[in-house]
Amino acid sequence: MSDWAPNEEGDKVLYVFSCGNIGADEHAIRLDGIELDLWEWVSFEQLADYVIPRLVRRITRAYEAHQNGMTLYLEHGEVVLGA
């Protein structure tokens, strides 16, 4: 999925890739302790408590695309074209 995000600093194209299932095994995720010191699973209902609105839209659309086996093109997190 790609998301075009025009910005006064310069337009950006952001991508979300599927990297397979991580699973529930908490040992599958290893943090380096420098850049990241905590992780947790968060439900879609809780996303807005953790990330800004445009990321909520982007993550939600990526999940929907994955569930439906689709590729999506977004602008500011809103669907423009589905393939």
Side-chain angles (χ1 to χ4, degrees), residues 16-77:
V16 177
F17 297 95
S18 173
C19 298
N21 294 328
I22 295 173
D25 181 9
E26 63 188 51
H27 301 290
I29 299 174
R30 291 187 175 81
L31 305 178
D32 66 5
I34 297 169
E35 291 186 46
L36 301 172
D37 59 7
L38 175 72
W39 72 270
E40 63 183 284
W41 296 116
V42 177
S43 70
F44 279 103
E45 294 79 22
Q46 295 174 293
L47 279 178
D49 295 335
Y50 289 83
V51 298
I52 58 178
R54 71 174 179 264
L55 293 180
V56 173
R57 289 192 308 267
R58 188 173 299 128
I59 293 167
T60 300
R61 297 298 175 262
Y63 180 74
E64 292 168 351
H66 174 74
Q67 291 295 100
N68 295 311
M70 298 177 66
T71 300
L72 296 177
Y73 174 75
L74 309 176
E75 289 184 10
H76 289 297

